[in-house]
Amino acid sequence: QVQLVQSGGGSVQTGGSLRLSCTASSSTVSQYSLGWFRQAPGKEREGVAAIDRSDNTQYADFVKGRFTISRDDANTILYLQMNNLEPEDTAMYYCAAVHSPVALLHANWYGYWGQGTQVTVSS
């Protein structure tokens, strides 16, 4: 079992940057794969980036070259560095965890979720 607490988010103008953080609390945190998802009003939740227990990463096509997912050496903090933000990136962002060596960009794969944090990008 793992608890996820998010921080970061906020409002920026087009082209700006933000870094989201997700602190994972678990005695077996290194056994989890992690991901970032986002959901805009009226839209379905979509995968943004994912990282497995071996630090292999995956990215949605719409964020490649702009976003970077990473985790600290102790595997207790998950990050999403977001650069060159666009208005289309405006959404509620969620971190997620699954007790598996495999990370996927599908929300149904994950059983544990953070509380969410709002990202707003103004043109």
Side-chain angles (χ1 to χ4, degrees), residues 35-111:
W36 287 100
F37 295 79
R38 69 187 189 186
Q39 188 167 23
K43 305 293 184 180
E44 67 179 359
R45 188 166 297 186
E46 61 183 355
V48 175
I51 184 167
D52 67 18
R53 284 154 43 169
S54 299
D55 285 340
N56 298 305
T57 59
Q58 302 172 57
Y59 295 95
D61 287 342
F62 54 81
V63 303
K64 285 182 178 178
R66 300 190 298 124
F67 292 9
T68 303
I69 188 171
S70 62
R71 60 198 303 172
D72 71 340
D73 292 340
N75 294 317
T76 57
I77 307 176
L78 176 71
Y79 299 101
L80 184 67
Q81 179 66 47
M82 303 183 292
N83 298 325
N84 195 25
L85 284 161
E86 304 168 351
E88 293 75 17
D89 296 317
T90 295
M92 186 74 73
Y93 283 71
Y94 300 89
C95 61
V98 59
H99 194 263
S100 172
V102 177
L104 299 174
L105 287 174
H106 299 284
N108 288 344
W109 182 243
Y110 298 85

Side-chain angles (χ1 to χ4, degrees), residues 29 48 120:
V29 63
V48 175
T120 301

